[in-house]
Amino acid sequence: MNSLDKRLHIVASFLLFCIPVFLLFTRAVADISVVLIALIFLARSAIAKDWSWVREKDILTLLLIFALMNVVVSPFAEHVGKSFERSLSWLRFVVFYAAVTRWVLIDRRTIRQFVIVLFFTLGVAALDAIYQFFTGTSLLTGQAMNGRLTGPLDRPNIGMYLSKLGLAALAMAFVLYTNRMSKKLLIVGCCLSPLLLTVVFLSGERAASVLTLFAILLTLFSLFVIGGTARKIAVGLAILGGTALTVLLVTSDRIWGRVEALVNVVSDYSDSVYGQLVFLGLRFFSENPLTGSGMGNYPLVCEDYTAAGLTNVPCHPHPHNFYVEWLSDTGLIGTVPFTVFMAVLYLMGLKTLFGPRESRLLGGLYLGVLVMSLFPLSVTQSLFSNWPAILAWTSIASAVAAVRLSASKAV
């Protein structure tokens, strides 16, 4: 790096380090940070005349999706203005992902600094949630519990926040360990994990809890694949974790109530609110299978249908399943290439999981990160709106950066 590139890298790195903190207190500033990182990366690419990242298959696929959104989907949307507003602004996540994976987090030193910031931020957030659990109020923000844990957040998403960023941080810490950069950070991460998991399951967030269980199973499976002592550790952790979860369910009526609610939703999915929202999204897709109804058009089209007496489903901002959201908003034009993008990411994880023995645990952690954001059968938030999208793209980009560093053995 030359001196200017180094200065730009420092600024972009600082903004990335701040995003986990901003997500706890101010969504708008977190979004501004994403935009600034993207702009700095574009400026750096122009100055260095280095656009090689555009040709890499994962980023090229995302850019193709962006082009299709704006050339094919938005012009034919039910509400054109809203669709262009959402489709044009989606570019910030594409360039942000490219910046993090191809420029910001490509060296061990920057990754180490980011992991330190993540562990500290996640630890503080988790402790605040524990404080809220016992007192009913967040110490950091004064947010009331109201039956659901929020920690310092203004809504009950603390479980997703801790799981998505925690798994990504562990993946990066493991890469630092295998690169002989830091053994202590991996130990810190392992010690911090029980606290984070406790908050996730105490939060009562059904999606976060179930997806975290899947992620844990993937991590244990990766240990099992390693064999030897790691296999014994996997069995021991499975027994310990299963026991702890059983105790939590038996002793907490609130958590048991959330489990019963989950069972009720699954057993009567078609009549649940989530099922109705999903089926409405699929209905929009069936009427516009190629281009969908338009980016961000789900609530607007729902209101149009309600006014015309065509539906009585409560109108939400999105269908609470991002696969259905892709189908509803972009049709096959947007959904097919995004499925290709996800396949590229998952293939990267499978290659790591079944690759060299020393990187198999990284494969489990990486796939756990993907499951947290991309599992198809889960109730999800929108992958297009600011807070959940920033959280998802930050965790995914961080995990991809970890796998790329592991594969390249970069210094």
Side-chain angles (χ1 to χ4, degrees):
M1 291 186 184
N2 56 41
S3 58
L4 176 59
D5 194 74
K6 286 181 179 178
R7 287 196 291 269
L8 292 175
H9 187 270
I10 289 172
V11 175
S13 299
F14 175 76
L15 290 170
L16 177 64
F17 297 170
C18 289
I19 285 177
V21 181
F22 291 153
L23 285 173
L24 288 173
F25 303 107
T26 169
R27 301 173 214 167
V29 179
D31 208 358
I32 291 172
S33 297
V34 168
V35 173
L36 289 175
I37 291 172
L39 291 175
I40 291 171
F41 182 56
L42 290 176
R44 177 261 176 192
S45 298
I47 294 170
K49 298 180 180 179
D50 178 12
W51 299 96
S52 58
W53 53 273
V54 173
R55 297 190 296 272
E56 300 200 29
K57 55 187 175 183
D58 54 341
I59 299 171
L60 184 60
T61 304
L62 291 175
L63 290 172
L64 173 63
I65 296 170
F66 171 74
L68 291 172
M69 283 178 175
N70 289 283
V71 175
V72 181
V73 173
S74 288
F76 300 99
E78 296 289 333
H79 297 267
V80 175
K82 177 64 176 179
S83 186
F84 270 118
E85 175 189 327
R86 184 63 62 89
S87 62
L88 288 170
S89 65
W90 194 71
L91 181 62
R92 71 193 190 277
F93 295 123
V94 177
V95 183
F96 171 76
Y97 168 83
V100 172
T101 58
R102 267 58 175 192
W103 182 51
V104 181
L105 295 182
I106 61 171
D107 64 280
R108 294 182 298 177
R109 183 170 179 269
T110 305
I111 289 179
R112 181 176 181 275
Q113 293 170 342
F114 188 39
V115 172
I116 292 172
V117 171
L118 275 176
F119 280 157
F120 178 79
T121 305
L122 293 172
V124 170
L127 289 173
D128 185 74
I130 293 292
Y131 179 87
Q132 185 188 52
F133 179 77
F134 287 108
T135 66
T137 306
S138 164
L139 181 64
L140 293 176
T141 62
Q143 182 70 27
M145 184 172 169
N146 290 328
R148 299 278 299 278
L149 274 182
T150 66
L153 298 172
D154 60 358
R155 51 185 174 173
N157 290 143
I158 189 65
M160 278 295 189
Y161 174 87
L162 295 178
S163 281
K164 290 183 178 182
L165 293 181
L167 284 165
L170 278 175
M172 289 185 288
F174 179 75
V175 171
L176 293 175
Y177 169 73
T178 57
N179 278 265
R180 297 180 176 84
M181 180 69 177
S182 177
K183 182 178 181 180
K184 292 180 180 178
L185 279 180
L186 183 60
I187 295 174
V188 170
C190 291
C191 294
L192 184 61
S193 294
L195 173 63
L196 303 185
L197 291 174
T198 298
V199 175
V200 170
F201 292 118
L202 282 178
S203 70
E205 294 173 49
R206 293 174 297 193
S209 299
V210 173
L211 292 177
T212 299
L213 278 177
F214 286 167
I216 291 172
L217 290 175
L218 282 168
T219 303
L220 294 178
F221 177 74
S222 66
L223 287 172
F224 194 82
V225 170
I226 292 173
T229 304
R231 184 168 296 178
K232 296 177 182 178
I233 293 174
V235 174
L237 289 175
I239 295 173
L240 181 63
T243 302
L245 186 58
T246 301
V247 170
L248 176 63
L249 292 174
V250 170
T251 58
S252 175
D253 292 336
R254 185 174 68 87
I255 301 301
W256 182 253
R258 298 296 294 169
V259 173
E260 289 182 326
L262 174 62
V263 172
N264 290 335
V265 169
V266 173
S267 62
D268 193 20
Y269 183 73
S270 61
D271 290 331
S272 70
V273 172
Y274 297 118
Q276 293 175 23
L277 294 173
V278 164
F279 291 136
L280 184 62
L282 293 175
R283 180 178 175 182
F284 295 162
F285 164 67
S286 68
E287 295 179 0
N288 297 281
L290 287 180
T291 61
S293 59
M295 295 288 293
N297 274 208
Y298 181 89
L300 302 178
V301 177
C302 179
E303 291 172 2
D304 293 342
Y305 274 45
T306 301
L310 299 176
T311 183
N312 58 359
V313 175
C315 292
H316 285 235
H318 52 85
H320 285 76
N321 180 288
F322 84 87
Y323 285 84
V324 176
E325 184 178 24
W326 273 99
L327 288 169
S328 171
D329 285 15
T330 70
L332 294 175
I333 293 294
T335 305
V336 171
F338 189 76
T339 303
V340 172
F341 169 72
M342 290 188 295
V344 170
L345 295 188
Y346 274 111
L347 183 60
M348 190 187 306
L350 291 173
K351 286 182 177 179
T352 306
L353 179 62
F354 295 104
R357 190 169 183 266
E358 64 272 11
S359 67
R360 290 174 183 172
L361 178 57
L362 172 62
L365 291 168
Y366 169 84
L367 289 172
V369 171
L370 297 188
V371 162
M372 290 302 304
S373 291
L374 303 177
F375 188 68
L377 301 180
S378 172
V379 173
T380 65
Q381 295 176 302
S382 173
L383 199 63
F384 303 135
S385 58
N386 57 2
W387 194 92
I390 294 169
L391 178 61
W393 284 109
T394 300
S395 64
I396 291 171
S398 300
V400 170
V403 172
R404 286 176 57 83
L405 178 62
S406 176
S408 66
K409 303 296 183 183
V411 294

